[in-house]
Amino acid sequence: MAAKGSDSEDIIETPSQLNKLTGASEVVPSATTTSRIELLSFYLYYVGNNGLSGFNFGPSQFQNLLFLAGYDPSQPPFSASCGSNTGCVLPYLGKIRDINSIVLLTNGISFAIQAVLLILIGAWADYGTWRPNITIIFTIAAVAVSFAWLGVEDPSQWQAGVALYILGLIAYQGALTFWTAAFPGLARHLPEVEVSALLAADGKKSVDEHASFESLSRNRVSNISFTVSSLGEILILVLMVGIIEGLKAGDSTANNTKAFSVLIAFSGAMWLLCALPWFFFEKRRPGLALPPGSSLLTIGFRQTYVALRECMRLKQTFLYLIFYFLMGDVLNTTVTVIATLQNGVVAYSTLQLTLLLIVGIATQAIGIYSFWLVQKKFRISTKGMLSFNVLWILVLTIWGLAGVHTDKFGFKHVWEIWLYQVFYGLMVCPWFLFFALFSVVGKTSAFIGPLVSSAIITVSGNNNNMPFAFLFGLGTVSTIFLYLVDVKKSRIECEEFVKAEADLEAFQG
């Protein structure tokens, strides 16, 4: 793609055209230049790391085991099995809790561990050369957890399911975080971006034109990555439908429970298959130099301290971060609460859940692409589009809140679950269009919502829709911070901080 100069002539962007322009005989790619096979491997990895094992079927199998092991709270303990129209409880961490509360509590514990872990090692994605190795370690751990589910198929093993659920989420998020950290360097070293940088350095194009071209290149890689991942994930889900039919999952509860574990293991196997090319073809680009007086063991805590200190000075950025983390927590918790309700509504059917995922992925692709087209065509500001997107997140919480006092609405029926998948894909999922990379951090910090929601279910007499009241209130408050943000001032603040961090000035004083 050729950028336009101020004189309306095409700016040269290819190595061969640069040779003619500069008189050079050849532009030789450097050791860090992104190769085609590396880029394809990057795309393929995201097909494998799709969240089906740790984020979808793993949690569903965990809740399924809890349901089968639990008992009806209206009867003496363990004297009556759980039913579709009765409550379902188990003793967990010192209390008798509803199984939905157990899932949310365990989810919150997992995210809290992730937050601490990423404070410790998250900075390694930026500094030193450990990032590729950490990606490999987290990936192998996630695949191992996926295969471990094959040994957990009986309801009496639900405690083992707790451990696999927590480990699966941590490994999935850790692998996604460190793989995502490769994206900026990968895009920056695309051949056409490197050529554009040379032209800018030689004064043959402006710095602003180069920045615009690099931004377009990043967006292109990001969009292609999402498209390839979505198509690949749908293909994997279609194969899973065949596995479900082969295992006759619909014939009995035992078959359905076994099918869950097989699907998780199959997803792990596909992840490993898709990850291997990235392990071999990723170029080991050097990270930032450690600030004086820091080590890999201390840089994470020091970086966190510096970020918090600077946020107090960067007022607009601070407002924006408050909004982001609060609304990110609202969205992640809302999706988790709905997932627990969804599992019960479809009676933990592996076939129904797989088909719902196919619909959800297809509609989210349409939703994200539509938002992008509308924003591009009408030149709507990011804040304007984000405000529109946030409105539908709040609608989602109101939808769930309606089910607090009625069984007629509020994610209580199968038709609602199908409608939710379409609604979420078209109107809510474009959130990730605005936070494609930053959302990784948000997920690891989203432990407040699940912990509070779990407590709300317990104190409300096991009303599984009651957390939506808290989520609606928190979402409304976070939206106020969004409207207070001055985007232009925030951008200037962020640019100054990034430059100071790169020059190590932010770590002084």
Side-chain angles (χ1 to χ4, degrees):
M1 181 181 295
K4 294 283 186 179
S6 58
D7 56 357
S8 298
E9 294 180 359
D10 287 343
I11 293 298
I12 308 302
E13 305 294 3
T14 66
S16 61
Q17 290 175 320
L18 179 63
N19 293 339
K20 295 178 181 179
L21 181 66
T22 61
S25 59
E26 183 180 5
V27 175
V28 180
S30 68
T32 58
T33 300
T34 303
S35 65
R36 182 170 179 79
I37 193 169
E38 181 187 19
L39 187 59
L40 293 175
S41 299
F42 179 81
Y43 295 149
L44 187 60
Y45 182 92
Y46 199 20
V47 173
N49 188 1
N50 49 41
L52 289 178
S53 57
F55 212 70
N56 295 116
F57 289 112
S60 293
Q61 171 69 316
F62 174 48
Q63 188 177 345
N64 175 55
L65 293 174
L66 293 176
F67 178 79
L68 296 176
Y71 63 88
D72 184 343
S74 66
Q75 304 297 323
F78 298 103
S79 64
S81 300
C82 299
S84 58
N85 296 319
T86 62
C88 189
V89 298
L90 274 172
Y92 186 67
L93 297 182
K95 287 186 177 181
I96 303 299
R97 304 177 190 270
D98 184 271
I99 62 170
N100 289 30
S101 175
I102 294 175
V103 172
L104 288 166
L105 179 56
T106 309
N107 183 274
I109 292 171
S110 174
F111 279 128
I113 295 173
Q114 289 176 46
V116 174
L117 183 62
L118 287 186
I119 288 176
L120 176 63
I121 69 172
W124 296 7
D126 301 321
Y127 296 93
T129 58
W130 274 86
R131 185 195 51 72
N133 296 328
I134 298 175
T135 302
I136 294 174
I137 291 171
F138 271 122
T139 301
I140 293 175
V143 172
V145 170
S146 298
F147 281 104
W149 275 105
L150 290 173
V152 181
E153 299 177 359
D154 190 272
S156 64
Q157 299 172 298
W158 68 268
Q159 292 94 338
V162 172
L164 293 181
Y165 177 49
I166 292 176
L167 291 174
L169 282 176
I170 293 174
Y172 159 69
Q173 196 63 52
L176 184 61
T177 298
F178 282 88
W179 167 79
T180 302
F183 173 73
L186 188 85
R188 190 182 309 117
H189 290 283
L190 289 167
E192 61 269 28
V193 175
E194 289 188 338
V195 168
S196 178
L198 285 175
L199 291 171
D202 290 341
K204 293 181 173 65
K205 71 185 301 184
S206 70
V207 174
D208 288 341
E209 287 171 340
H210 167 65
S212 177
F213 179 77
E214 183 177 349
S215 177
L216 287 172
S217 298
R218 275 200 312 270
N219 290 341
R220 185 184 73 247
V221 172
S222 179
N223 291 337
I224 293 175
S225 177
F226 172 77
T227 302
V228 171
S229 175
S230 297
L231 293 175
E233 188 173 357
I234 289 176
L235 177 59
I236 291 173
L237 288 167
V238 170
L239 293 175
M240 285 181 169
V241 172
I243 293 174
I244 292 170
E245 294 298 329
L247 293 172
K248 301 185 184 304
D251 288 358
S252 67
T253 300
N255 286 2
N256 189 66
T257 302
K258 180 180 179 62
F260 265 125
S261 294
V262 172
L263 294 180
I264 296 170
F266 176 72
S267 178
M270 295 302 296
W271 185 355
L272 181 61
L273 184 65
C274 293
L276 287 176
W278 178 244
F279 294 167
F280 290 109
F281 294 116
E282 180 190 7
K283 294 188 176 181
R284 303 299 179 101
R285 300 177 179 88
L288 298 174
L290 286 169
S294 297
S295 68
L296 286 176
L297 293 178
T298 61
I299 184 59
F301 296 101
R302 192 174 181 189
Q303 191 181 52
T304 301
Y305 164 74
V306 169
L308 291 175
R309 184 191 68 195
E310 294 300 317
C311 275
M312 301 307 296
R313 291 168 45 190
L314 309 178
K315 295 181 180 179
Q316 295 300 322
T317 305
F318 187 56
L319 289 173
Y320 171 77
L321 289 176
I322 292 176
F323 155 73
Y324 172 75
F325 285 111
L326 290 179
M327 185 57 74
D329 203 358
V330 169
L331 177 56
N332 288 320
T333 305
T334 297
V335 170
T336 302
V337 173
I338 294 174
T340 62
L341 298 173
Q342 171 182 279
N343 289 332
V345 170
V346 302
Y348 306 94
S349 166
T350 50
L351 180 59
Q352 284 263 46
L353 291 173
T354 303
L355 295 176
L356 284 167
L357 280 172
I358 292 175
V359 171
I361 293 167
T363 54
Q364 77 180 25
I366 297 172
I368 290 176
Y369 189 65
S370 298
F371 266 63
W372 180 76
L373 284 179
V374 170
Q375 183 180 21
K376 182 180 179 181
K377 179 176 178 60
F378 298 102
R379 298 184 180 276
I380 303 173
S381 69
T382 298
K383 182 177 177 180
M385 291 296 294
L386 188 55
S387 300
F388 181 71
N389 183 229
V390 164
L391 170 66
W392 300 111
I393 296 176
L394 294 178
V395 168
L396 205 57
T397 62
I398 295 173
W399 185 350
L401 186 57
V404 170
H405 298 296
T406 180
D407 289 330
K408 295 180 179 180
F409 196 66
F411 307 110
K412 303 293 183 74
H413 307 279
V414 174
W415 66 265
E416 281 188 276
I417 301 302
W418 284 96
L419 179 60
Y420 157 70
Q421 289 292 342
V422 175
F423 176 86
Y424 176 79
L426 294 177
M427 308 306 298
V428 178
C429 208
W431 165 272
F432 299 103
L433 174 65
F434 307 109
F435 300 105
L437 302 182
F438 199 39
S439 62
V440 172
V441 182
K443 286 184 179 179
T444 59
S445 65
F447 59 88
I448 298 175
L451 294 179
V452 173
S453 296
S454 173
I456 289 175
I457 290 176
T458 300
V459 300
S460 66
N462 299 330
N463 189 323
N464 292 319
N465 283 70
M466 190 59 75
F468 289 111
F470 161 72
L471 295 171
F472 172 71
L474 186 62
T476 301
V477 170
S478 69
T479 303
I480 296 174
F481 288 100
L482 172 62
Y483 289 116
L484 293 175
V485 172
D486 186 313
V487 177
K488 290 184 178 179
K489 290 182 179 179
S490 178
R491 184 181 295 114
I492 294 172
E493 289 176 352
C494 286
E495 288 173 351
E496 291 176 349
F497 172 72
V498 169
K499 183 179 184 302
E501 185 181 38
D503 295 338
L504 302 182
E505 294 174 3
F507 288 93
Q508 298 175 9

